[in-house]
Amino acid sequence: MKTFTLGAAALAAPLALAQPALAAPRTFGDPVPVTDTLTFDPIVDARLRWESVDTPARDADAVTLRLRSGFELRHAPSHLSLLAEAEGTLEIGDHFNGLAFVPAKARPAYAIVPDPANVELNRLQVQYRTKQLGLTIGRQRINLDDQRWVGSVAWRQNEQTFDAVRGEATLGPVMADVTYARGQRTIYGHDAGPRTAYDGDFWFLQAGVRQGPVTVKGFAYLLDYDAKEQVGPLAVTLADTQTWGLRATAALPLGKKAKLNLVGSYARQQGWKDNPAHFHADYVNAEAALAAHGFTATGGYEKLGSDTSSGKAIALQTPMATLHKFNGWADLFLTTPAAGLEDVYAGLAKAFPKAKGLTLNVTWHDFHSDIGHVKYGEEWDASVGFKVRKVALLAKYAGYKAKGFGVDTTKFWLEADYAF
């Protein structure tokens, strides 16, 4: 009831307080001056989506509407701000399995689409921000680098946020980013029982330096979940781990109309705290993207390794990542298989900025195990997006062909987004 009341207040606030914007000659949704030093910025983010899933055993058709609404108050002289945001997801129809692990809510006749109905307080944070320093306290969105280790899972209707304290500092070419989180608010919403949120002691540590077009960062992710979270099927994904690694990126201009973007990363993960398993699993990522004349050609390799030194295969896991971004949009590998995962991928994208922001994208994946190099399957992903005024429209496809892992899976999405 407390969460519902806070959420309702955040949803109503922009409607009540944004009225002065109607009388001022400014764009709707712009920050509204309250005083000479204080501004009120309304938040509205709406998404209507249809997701279709086709597998040999089960299908699904999920139509959902998601609304985030709230406000941000900014006080310029003190560099302080207060942000409050509620999130609600409405199920339009019930032909999908949104909470497969909750017996009272499960719909086992349908395939899984993890966008269940939900109303919650998504973010509530106080922030201090200058060009060199940042400090954020409260429930917040955290996206680190490419979100392979920590992200907000923005693709799903219900966002992942963290109850955390985050400090950021930049001094010339040197940066540091340190976060301590006490809770991980998942994408499953308030009806998900123990999977609504995971408690623990989590540290996200980054330090790096930038020299010209090259940036190098060292990182550590130390995850100590409370024992009550590590039960049943969650015991593998929520096991205590420490991951240490290095990430380097470079943006190299090739003449006036071309650019080569390079990414390389290596990390090693092992058991930590109360994890009884003794293992050392490697992470490797190498990617090159050549952009020219509106085209971007991308090729890469990613390995989530596995280790058998303990007598059984234990794979590297990334339970706080924005997993939909990686290893295919069909989401067959949200949990790394015990034998690990190798993903070789290539893609081509084309942007048409003069044609209402039209973008086209197609990507191919070839999946194998790390141990034994067993063929898992192949996947083709494609999308087309464009804008009609302030509404962003998206059509998206994923087709996974199973060889040695999972089942043939086809997914299709139609989506409309509006935000200010």
Side-chain angles (χ1 to χ4, degrees):
M1 181 61 71
K2 180 179 179 182
T3 298
F4 180 82
T5 303
L6 289 169
L11 287 167
L15 303 178
L17 297 177
Q19 296 303 317
L22 301 177
R26 63 180 72 247
T27 302
F28 182 73
D30 284 352
V32 179
V34 178
T35 69
D36 291 341
T37 58
L38 184 66
T39 58
F40 171 87
D41 191 0
I43 298 171
V44 173
D45 183 343
R47 177 197 283 164
L48 176 64
R49 181 157 71 199
W50 169 63
E51 178 170 343
S52 171
V53 182
D54 183 8
T55 72
R58 294 178 179 85
D59 300 334
D61 283 290
V63 181
T64 55
L65 175 63
R66 194 278 318 283
L67 175 64
R68 295 191 191 123
S69 182
F71 64 90
E72 184 175 25
L73 288 170
R74 288 183 175 272
H75 185 249
S78 66
H79 305 290
L80 290 173
S81 64
L82 169 67
L83 185 149
E85 178 187 68
E87 177 178 72
T89 298
L90 174 66
E91 296 180 355
I92 305 174
D94 57 2
H95 294 254
F96 68 100
N97 198 355
L99 290 170
F101 48 85
V102 180
K105 299 290 184 177
R107 302 178 186 123
Y110 298 102
I112 294 173
V113 177
D115 288 328
N118 181 46
V119 176
E120 68 177 5
L121 180 65
N122 192 49
R123 291 189 289 168
L124 181 61
Q125 66 182 49
V126 175
Q127 185 178 77
Y128 172 84
R129 172 72 67 182
T130 67
K131 289 183 178 181
Q132 290 78 32
L133 297 173
L135 178 65
T136 308
I137 302 173
R139 184 166 298 174
Q140 58 190 279
R141 175 186 297 146
I142 300 179
N143 290 316
L144 300 180
D145 297 323
D146 61 354
Q147 303 178 45
R148 170 30 98 186
W149 302 98
V150 179
S152 60
V153 199
W155 172 247
R156 300 275 35 125
Q157 297 286 50
N158 301 317
E159 188 175 37
Q160 175 171 272
T161 55
F162 297 87
D163 296 328
V165 178
R166 181 182 182 186
E168 302 165 79
T170 302
L171 181 60
V174 179
M175 63 76 62
D177 192 331
V178 177
T179 298
Y180 169 74
R182 190 67 186 91
Q184 174 188 2
R185 306 287 303 184
T186 76
I187 63 172
Y188 298 114
H190 73 283
D191 282 336
R195 296 198 191 187
T196 298
Y198 304 137
D199 296 328
D201 294 295
F202 314 122
W203 289 94
F204 316 144
L205 312 174
Q206 292 189 339
V209 61
R210 180 173 182 176
Q211 184 61 44
V214 179
T215 300
V216 179
K217 287 183 180 180
F219 59 81
Y221 301 106
L222 313 177
L223 309 185
D224 178 14
Y225 285 95
D226 287 355
K228 65 182 177 64
E229 314 293 4
Q230 302 170 7
V231 295
L234 298 179
V236 173
T237 54
L238 301 187
D240 296 343
T241 59
Q242 56 175 321
T243 305
W244 301 79
L246 191 69
R247 173 182 167 86
T249 60
L252 307 175
L254 304 176
K256 294 183 179 180
K257 296 184 178 181
K259 179 184 290 187
L260 179 63
N261 294 310
L262 301 174
V263 177
S265 184
Y266 171 79
R268 173 162 268 210
Q269 184 177 95
Q270 63 189 63
W272 197 50
K273 292 293 185 175
D274 297 325
N275 190 339
H278 298 282
F279 73 101
H280 296 83
D282 294 329
Y283 172 82
V284 178
N285 178 226
E287 181 180 288
L290 178 63
H293 304 287
F295 287 92
T296 302
T298 303
Y301 167 82
E302 185 180 44
K303 182 179 86 167
L304 288 82
S306 181
D307 180 29
T308 59
S309 60
S310 66
K312 65 176 181 178
I314 300 175
L316 178 145
Q317 303 291 339
T318 62
M320 294 184 174
T322 298
L323 293 166
H324 183 77
K325 286 187 63 179
F326 303 91
N327 312 133
W329 293 339
D331 289 339
L332 268 291
F333 300 100
L334 299 182
T335 298
T336 310
L341 174 66
E342 291 184 330
D343 178 7
V344 177
Y345 56 93
L348 182 65
K350 171 63 175 174
F352 301 86
K354 295 182 180 180
K356 297 183 178 180
L358 176 65
T359 58
L360 306 175
N361 184 296
V362 61
T363 303
W364 169 79
H365 295 267
D366 185 31
F367 301 111
H368 290 80
S369 66
D370 174 40
I371 297 175
H373 200 64
V374 176
K375 178 80 168 183
Y376 281 156
E378 297 181 2
E379 180 171 327
W380 283 95
D381 298 328
S383 68
V384 54
F386 60 98
K387 280 193 172 184
V388 177
R389 299 195 178 188
K390 292 188 176 182
V391 179
L393 301 175
L394 176 70
K396 188 169 166 177
Y397 163 85
Y400 176 79
K401 185 68 174 178
K403 299 293 184 181
F405 182 88
V407 298
D408 292 354
T409 302
T410 302
K411 296 187 178 183
F412 190 76
W413 299 267
L414 292 176
E415 179 178 302
D417 290 84
Y418 176 80
F420 65 77

